[in-house]
Amino acid sequence: MRTSTSSLVSVALALPALTGATICKNFVDSERLQELIKLEDLLAGSRKLQELADAHGGNRAFGSGGHNATVDFVYDTLTALNYYNVTKQPFTELFSYGTGKLIVGGEAVEANIMTYTASGTLVDTPIILAPGLGCTPEEFPATVAGNIALVQRGSCTFAAKAGSAKTAGAAGLIVYNNVPGSLSGTLGGVGNYAPVVGISLEAGQAILADLEAGPVTGSLDINAIVEQRVNYNVIAETKGGDHDNVLVLGGHSDSVGAGPGINDDGSGSIGILRVAEALSKFKVKNAVRFAWWGAEEFGLLGSRYYVNQLNGSATELARMRAYLNFDMIASPNYVNGIYDGDGSAFGLVGPAGSDAIEKEFEKFYDSKGAKHVPSAFSGRSDYAAFIENGVPAGGIFTGAEVLKTEAEAALFGGQAGVAYDKNYHTARDTYDNLNHEAYLTNSKAIAHTVATYALSFDSLAPVNLSKRRYDAARAQFTRRGSHGHAGEHSGPCGGGDTI
Ligand SMILES: *[C@@H]1O[C@H](CO)[C@@H](O)[C@H](O)[C@H]1NC(C)=O
Ligand SMILES: *[C@@H]1O[C@H](CO)[C@@H](O)[C@H](O)[C@H]1NC(C)=O
Ligand SMILES: *[C@@H]1O[C@H](CO)[C@@H](O)[C@H](O)[C@H]1NC(C)=O
Ligand SMILES: *[C@@H]1O[C@H](CO)[C@@H](O)[C@H](O)[C@H]1NC(C)=O
Ligand SMILES: [Zn+2]
């Protein structure tokens, strides 16, 4: 069929008016942006991530097919909106993944391999207790040679323990926790280490009891790979708005290797994606920059890469008026945790302005008649790179492996004495691992803060770079200080603990 030239022209002319692409948009407003956030759209996004994991071996870990597909999905969704300047930012990092099996006295013990561990297979091998903390080779008895050493967590890094065990001649190492609960840690990089797993305090005590009674043997099978992998951050900034006053917000797009990561952090990834889509229906006064960070689970690598490549540029950093982080927003046994930016609950104070951001989230929950609690601002997710540069930050965290208290169960329902997310960092963090009510409410909380700051940063003090430098130095101090605590568990995205 032949189409006349004149009808083509009229279609082309009519198009902008029909779609309202540029002329009919209003400035964003919190209520209207929130209305566009629908549970069915959030769940459709989560289902998509589950499918991508299912099609690629069950996970979306960085550099994997599942993560590549996630990055492409986010990138394609955003570019189709024609509202953002979207970039894929590549970076290369060392990847380590594997599986580990530990059997003691014929019974399987839940064990997590440490990131960057060596591989090894030991069958019916004596388990030898190192009575100290195993921080030097001398702290291992000579009898560990060729055998599996057992040592408690604490006092020095896992890397120091695994290196000392190797030097002492141990063929394998089990580190048991020094606080209740399981242990997943990292050696921080490749090195000359004994194959090493972490186990819970309870499992460690059971082996200690067996050792009191007589010799104990175990089988340890660690199958690990360590390799350089290319990975991506996806960054999308509104074409409109003031690019000298930018709201930055993000979540991480990668999962752990153990599972599909649909709550951690599929929930934050989809929450911000749906808000990005909804925002495209409006005009903004301040530019909004969304980020999907790669390789968070390996030590906040994507967000750190992003900030590092700015080379400390005062101009670039000064443009960032605030950073918001959304890492796990739909935990099955959730609390609505707001990062404690003012330090009132946990004593870890964020850069100036973080207090105002915390209040903005509080205002949102209060307006919905929803409960909220403060969540420690400990630098254990992607906001760390921002607060270390003095950028005010905030965000939401619905909880990971820590157990819900009675008081929290009274506020939010759910089960006291059960982890906020009992499927955290496992193969069970699937599409079925989401609390729908929390997912919707917290995605609307994202919409509220995005709308608020896209219109005005009046509630935050103007950027003062010397104040930011002061706050940055303090943030680095609290970050270092927060490590040595014996009771400090892995935060939202553990597996990154080094000590
Ligand atoms: C993921 O993408 C990177 C970068 O393009 C590529 O090097 C790598 O082979 C991809 N991985 C898989 C498993 O497809
Ligand atoms: C889009 O982003 C790229 C990379 O950050 C930048 O170089 C470019 O100037 C941006 N374009 C617009 C129109 O903002
Ligand atoms: C930072 O330095 C690197 C290496 O010199 C360069 O490739 C990159 O473009 C710089 N980034 C900015 C924002 O200037
Ligand atoms: C910026 O911060 C510094 C250090 O806190 C303070 O002394 C100074 O008065 C501030 N400047 C302005 C213009 O507020
Ligand atoms: Zn996470």
Side-chain angles (χ1 to χ4, degrees):
M1 200 181 81
R2 197 174 165 272
T3 311
S4 79
T5 313
S6 64
S7 74
L8 268 180
V9 168
S10 69
V11 166
L13 286 176
L15 210 54
L18 284 173
T19 61
T22 48
I23 44 176
C24 295
K25 283 183 183 170
N26 295 311
F27 278 113
V28 67
D29 138 314
S30 173
E31 286 302 325
R32 294 184 58 203
L33 192 63
Q34 287 180 51
E35 276 165 24
L36 295 178
I37 305 302
K38 301 274 197 316
L39 181 63
E40 67 210 58
D41 298 332
L42 294 168
L43 293 178
S46 300
R47 196 180 293 281
K48 177 75 183 176
L49 295 185
Q50 179 74 56
E51 285 166 10
L52 297 178
D54 290 346
H56 295 91
N59 71 77
R60 300 181 300 108
F62 94 77
S64 71
H67 187 252
N68 285 2
T70 301
V71 164
D72 290 343
F73 163 62
V74 169
Y75 182 86
D76 293 346
T77 305
L78 292 163
T79 41
L81 299 171
N82 194 27
Y83 180 83
Y84 296 97
N85 182 6
V86 193
T87 47
K88 272 194 215 182
Q89 181 182 53
F91 58 97
T92 302
E93 290 284 357
L94 201 58
F95 175 83
S96 150
Y97 177 64
T99 52
K101 264 195 231 142
L102 175 65
I103 296 173
V104 178
E107 277 185 39
V109 176
E110 193 165 321
N112 297 314
I113 61 163
M114 295 222 181
T115 306
Y116 302 117
T117 178
S119 295
T121 303
L122 300 164
V123 180
D124 293 334
T125 305
I127 297 179
I128 309 292
L129 175 68
L133 289 166
C135 295
T136 62
E138 293 71 38
E139 290 183 58
F140 288 89
T143 47
V144 298
N147 293 326
I148 301 173
L150 173 69
V151 74
Q152 193 176 31
R153 179 185 195 177
S155 186
C156 59
T157 60
F158 300 128
K161 291 174 197 276
S164 299
K166 171 90 177 184
T167 305
L173 175 66
I174 303 169
V175 181
Y176 68 97
N177 212 343
N178 56 3
V179 289
S182 63
L183 169 58
S184 57
T186 175
L187 302 175
V190 281
N192 192 22
Y193 301 128
V196 54
V197 290
I199 62 173
S200 69
L201 175 62
E202 297 79 0
Q205 284 167 340
I207 302 176
L208 290 182
D210 290 349
L211 281 169
E212 297 257 308
V216 178
T217 61
S219 297
L220 181 63
D221 187 13
I222 298 180
N223 199 336
I225 50 164
V226 177
E227 65 190 17
Q228 296 288 340
R229 284 188 169 184
V230 179
N231 182 72
Y232 293 99
N233 291 325
V234 179
I235 314 285
E237 180 156 333
T238 52
K239 291 180 180 170
D242 175 358
H243 295 276
D244 287 329
N245 286 284
V246 185
L247 172 67
V248 188
L249 71 153
H252 67 88
S253 55
D254 63 315
S255 72
V256 289
I262 303 303
N263 183 34
D264 181 14
D265 182 29
S267 60
S269 294
I270 297 299
I272 65 173
L273 185 62
R274 294 310 182 216
V275 171
E277 290 177 297
L279 186 63
S280 71
K281 308 276 191 292
F282 299 94
K283 283 194 297 191
V284 292
K285 292 187 176 156
N286 298 315
V288 181
R289 184 183 306 164
F290 292 81
W292 287 261
W293 308 118
E296 189 271 359
E297 299 287 9
F298 273 73
L300 321 180
L301 301 180
S303 51
R304 287 203 183 285
Y305 177 84
Y306 176 78
V307 172
N308 285 344
Q309 58 82 41
L310 301 175
N311 306 324
S313 159
T315 320
E316 279 303 322
L317 287 166
R319 286 184 174 133
M320 298 182 196
R321 296 295 305 273
Y323 175 72
L324 308 178
N325 197 61
F326 302 99
D327 185 0
M328 304 178 72
I329 64 166
S331 303
N333 193 31
Y334 75 99
V335 293
N336 294 324
I338 307 173
Y339 291 143
D340 181 30
D342 62 6
S344 63
F346 296 93
L348 300 167
V349 185
S354 306
D355 49 347
I357 297 171
E358 185 183 0
K359 289 206 176 61
E360 196 60 54
F361 280 110
E362 288 171 357
K363 207 166 88 186
F364 167 82
Y365 290 112
D366 291 344
S367 78
K368 302 280 163 195
K371 308 293 184 196
H372 52 83
V373 289
S375 174
F377 206 48
S378 57
R380 283 170 186 261
S381 185
D382 290 304
Y383 61 89
F386 294 88
I387 64 176
E388 285 159 26
N389 283 283
V391 177
I396 298 171
F397 173 45
T398 54
E401 80 282 28
V402 172
L403 308 185
K404 193 175 220 170
T405 64
E406 293 286 351
E408 289 165 344
L411 280 179
F412 298 98
Q415 289 177 280
V418 172
Y420 302 121
D421 182 354
K422 63 176 194 249
N423 299 315
Y424 174 64
H425 283 186
T426 72
R428 298 180 303 273
D429 184 7
T430 64
Y431 180 78
D432 297 325
N433 190 41
L434 300 167
N435 182 294
H436 293 182
E437 195 183 349
Y439 201 0
L440 182 60
T441 302
N442 292 325
S443 298
K444 285 178 185 272
I446 301 172
H448 169 71
T449 46
V450 165
T452 301
Y453 296 123
L455 286 183
S456 165
F457 286 114
D458 285 354
S459 62
L460 303 177
V463 174
N464 174 340
L465 286 177
S466 71
K467 176 88 176 91
R468 278 196 176 184
R469 275 192 293 274
Y470 171 82
D471 290 348
R474 190 185 51 185
Q476 293 192 12
F477 172 75
T478 51
R479 184 166 65 97
R480 277 197 306 273
S482 72
H483 264 283
H485 296 226
E488 193 90 32
H489 265 235
S490 52
C493 287
D497 279 353
T498 55
I499 186 163

